[in-house]
Amino acid sequence: MAAKAKTGNSIVETIKTIVYALLIAGVFRTLFFQPFWIPSGSMKETLLIGDFLFVNKMAYGYSHASCPSVRLPQFGINVDAEQICRFLDGDNTRLLGSQPERGDVVVFRHPVHGADYIKRLVGLPGDKIQVKNGVLFINDTAVKLENDGAFEEVYAPQGPQRSAPRCENGPVGVGGTCSKSRQIETLPDGPSYAVLNIGNQTMDHTGVYQVPEGHFFFMGDNRDNSTDSRLSQSAGGAGFVPFENLIGRADRIMFSSAGRSMLFFWTWRGDRFFKAVE
């Protein structure tokens, strides 16, 4: 009987340890840093498919978007962050909130379906944003844009989703070199970063967007491969993103893998470990 009691106590202690660990991890993820995998190429070359980073949730304060969603479709579990932190949802405000800066790379919740997006903030509340002939205009002034060669990558399926890159140099066979024009864009407040283009596309020519108060305008650095604020929410884009939908700022890449799984060590990108996001 003593042996059975000891075994039972051991199982209970193990379960308690697991529960405590999950609670601590949940609190850490909610209040401080959220892990985020880059699933698509919309932010190349700043962020590549397979980059793994922690999102700084302290940067902009807290709202319902700060809570993690719990989605385990194999078990029929789909609990949205808004349901968990409903008490923080209200009037487009944040607890301990601070305003993001133009040029920040931000993870935010899509205002309609709640999926996590990561893009660069280019438009602040009150700004007029337009893209003309592929050039970003902020308040009727073109941002500084300098040609900087080409961005090249191997044309092959990328990441777990096995998506293939789009190329400016026409149809490219598997294993060939996929090339895009590379430019350095400098925002009015100073941040500079690379943007990529594959030629004249529909979203290189837009109307004027007037960013409402309490909202922000985002674009991907891979300009012709990004679903962002240039498309309205009704058209499947992000549209204007409310302040309360911001999750946090991407500051540093912790790990990067070019393969289908992080376990494929031969695909690790060691040169991207601990790289700052700029």
Side-chain angles (χ1 to χ4, degrees):
M1 292 295 293
K4 288 184 179 180
K6 187 175 181 179
T7 301
N9 290 336
S10 177
I11 294 173
V12 170
E13 289 302 316
T14 300
I15 293 173
K16 286 169 62 176
T17 300
I18 293 172
V19 170
Y20 291 151
L22 290 174
L23 287 173
I24 292 170
V27 170
F28 183 86
R29 189 176 187 272
T30 299
L31 295 180
F32 303 112
F33 298 96
Q34 175 176 324
F36 191 85
W37 280 99
I38 302 302
S40 73
S42 68
M43 281 295 293
K44 289 178 181 176
E45 65 183 51
T46 303
L47 298 171
L48 302 180
I49 294 175
D51 282 348
F52 176 78
L53 48 87
F54 281 102
V55 178
N56 181 355
K57 288 191 168 184
M58 298 175 285
Y60 311 133
Y62 304 95
S63 70
H64 68 88
S66 303
C67 285
S69 298
V70 181
R71 294 190 172 96
L72 299 170
Q74 62 271 36
F75 299 108
I77 298 174
N78 185 12
V79 182
D80 189 77
E82 195 167 1
Q83 297 172 265
I84 299 173
C85 286
R86 195 183 304 274
F87 66 96
L88 289 174
D89 183 16
D91 201 27
N92 197 23
T93 57
R94 305 182 72 88
L95 181 65
L96 304 176
S98 58
Q99 293 290 319
E101 297 181 3
R102 196 193 312 275
D104 284 357
V105 177
V106 179
V107 174
F108 60 89
R109 278 173 54 87
H110 191 279
V112 176
H113 51 67
D116 291 348
Y117 277 39
I118 184 165
K119 308 289 180 185
R120 189 178 297 277
L121 193 160
V122 298
L124 299 173
D127 281 346
K128 287 197 302 183
I129 304 294
Q130 186 175 19
V131 181
K132 295 192 286 188
N133 297 318
V135 179
L136 173 63
F137 281 70
I138 300 176
N139 297 322
D140 300 318
T141 301
V143 301
K144 183 180 179 182
L145 204 60
E146 300 174 279
N147 291 328
D148 193 49
F151 171 80
E152 296 182 341
E153 59 187 333
V154 176
Y155 184 83
Q158 298 179 348
Q161 298 180 1
R162 313 307 290 154
S163 56
R166 295 179 64 195
C167 313
E168 185 178 20
N169 54 329
V172 176
V174 175
T177 299
C178 176
S179 177
K180 299 177 182 67
S181 296
R182 184 179 188 271
Q183 297 169 304
I184 301 299
E185 184 173 270
T186 302
L187 295 176
D189 301 328
S192 297
Y193 47 87
V195 295
L196 307 181
N197 288 281
I198 60 172
N200 188 23
Q201 305 289 313
T202 302
M203 296 309 294
D204 289 333
H205 315 275
T206 74
V208 177
Y209 305 94
Q210 182 75 50
V211 185
E213 287 301 316
H215 292 72
F216 300 91
F217 193 96
F218 292 91
M219 293 176 65
D221 291 351
N222 193 0
R223 291 290 158 82
D224 297 329
N225 292 269
S226 176
T227 302
D228 48 42
S229 292
R230 288 173 290 177
L231 278 177
S232 67
Q233 294 159 16
S234 60
F240 302 123
V241 179
F243 184 35
E244 65 182 353
N245 280 54
L246 307 189
I247 294 175
R249 185 182 64 217
D251 289 336
R252 189 170 297 275
I253 299 165
M254 305 303 295
F255 174 81
S256 185
S257 173
R260 297 182 64 178
S261 168
M262 63 179 293
L263 300 178
F264 295 173
F265 63 87
W266 57 91
T267 67
W268 292 356
R269 305 182 184 107
D271 61 326
R272 298 185 67 79
F273 290 11
F274 310 111
K275 182 179 180 180
V277 177
E278 299 175 346

